[in-house]
Amino acid sequence: MLKFSLGNDADLRLLLPHHAPVYSALVIQNTDYLSRWLPWVTADFDEAKAGEIIRQYLQRLMDDAGILYGIFYQEKFSGWISHRWERRFLRTEIGYWIGEQYQGKGLVTRATKAMTDYAFGELGLKRSEIICEVGNDASAAVPQRLGYTFEGVRRKNFFRDGLMRDVNVYVAFADEWPSNQQR
Ligand SMILES: CC(C)(COP(=O)(O)OP(=O)(O)OC[C@H]1O[C@@H](n2cnc3c(N)ncnc32)[C@H](O)[C@@H]1OP(=O)(O)O)[C@@H](O)C(=O)NCCC(=O)NCCS
């Protein structure tokens, strides 16, 4: 699906190469805020790097391994939400960020609900995972709000800023997901 509605004020749109300028502009505007948690946000982030990430996800889509949606609030690009799935294991991982000026509107929570519904519905996957660096409470609040279960801490899971970082792992399962039980 190319577009998902998140209500009257927002929607998700498949990110395409022509979105690279708005994507890079928002990251550059929010470098300090985002680089605190996202290892790919560096001082030299630019339109070419944004385009490269979009192209990598389009390749994943071709490989049946992932998708990248822009979160648009009142027609403005405000962040993105990603899926990276492993078809043979029927599992996916969701990732997200938004510009600081778009926080507190429920955009990411709504997007994550839509993407979890999509994973367990159209994609037919069985496990959805969200990992948040220990200490990133705003990020952890998203899966918590949606009823994901805390599974545990995965130690030294990724490298950022000179250190291997521990992450909290949250999971949802297709057979326990409320929207699925109403089908
Ligand atoms: C993590 C991050 C996406 C969370 O952003 P956020 O604005 O807190 O999350 P949401 O968009 O879901 O908004 C939730 C807030 O909106 C409120 N809200 C308003 N309308 C809402 C709605 N319809 N549904 C849900 N929540 C709603 C919630 O109460 C909550 O506010 P609160 O924090 O005061 O309780 C953001 O902080 C971010 O991008 N951080 C930097 C990058 C990052 O850490 N990414 C994640 C890496 S793991």
Side-chain angles (χ1 to χ4, degrees):
M1 203 184 283
L2 287 177
K3 200 165 167 175
F4 286 92
S5 171
L6 298 182
N8 292 335
D9 56 351
D11 52 45
L12 300 180
R13 300 177 197 170
L14 184 67
L15 272 191
L16 295 168
H18 74 264
H19 292 117
V22 286
Y23 170 7
S24 60
L26 189 63
V27 170
I28 290 164
Q29 201 187 347
N30 282 273
T31 301
D32 290 345
Y33 165 70
L34 297 174
S35 63
R36 177 143 186 248
W37 301 113
L38 300 174
W40 55 266
V41 176
T42 50
D44 61 349
F45 194 82
D46 60 10
E47 202 173 308
K49 288 192 167 65
E52 181 59 25
I53 290 174
I54 293 171
R55 282 184 178 80
Q56 282 168 5
Y57 271 94
L58 289 171
Q59 185 59 52
R60 277 182 206 274
L61 183 57
M62 297 293 287
D63 296 340
D64 189 20
I67 202 161
L68 186 63
Y69 280 101
I71 302 170
F72 286 77
Y73 175 70
Q74 295 179 345
E75 300 296 324
K76 287 209 177 90
F77 176 79
S78 57
W80 61 233
I81 182 158
S82 64
H83 257 305
R84 284 191 292 180
W85 62 79
E86 289 175 290
R87 176 65 67 186
R88 68 193 167 124
F89 298 130
L90 297 184
R91 67 185 178 204
T92 191
E93 181 187 325
I94 293 176
Y96 41 69
W97 65 273
I98 47 169
E100 191 170 12
Q101 61 270 50
Y102 298 107
Q103 276 212 137
K105 302 179 191 308
L107 289 170
V108 176
T109 301
R110 286 185 269 163
T112 302
K113 171 156 189 329
M115 286 292 93
T116 308
D117 287 345
Y118 180 60
F120 294 154
E122 191 164 331
L123 294 175
L125 303 172
K126 302 292 187 202
R127 175 188 169 96
S128 176
E129 203 171 271
I130 295 175
I131 62 169
C132 317
E133 190 173 328
V134 170
N136 191 349
D137 298 338
S139 182
V142 173
Q144 287 165 355
R145 218 175 265 124
L146 291 171
Y148 274 62
T149 307
F150 175 65
E151 196 172 52
V153 174
R154 200 177 285 157
R155 294 181 57 223
K156 301 181 184 178
N157 190 61
F158 72 96
F159 186 77
R160 183 180 63 74
D161 213 7
L163 286 179
M164 292 301 289
R165 305 289 173 161
D166 295 349
V167 294
N168 289 318
V169 180
Y170 292 88
V171 287
F173 302 108
D175 57 357
E176 297 169 8
W177 187 245
S179 316
N180 260 28
Q181 286 162 14
Q182 286 155 18
R183 275 166 209 273

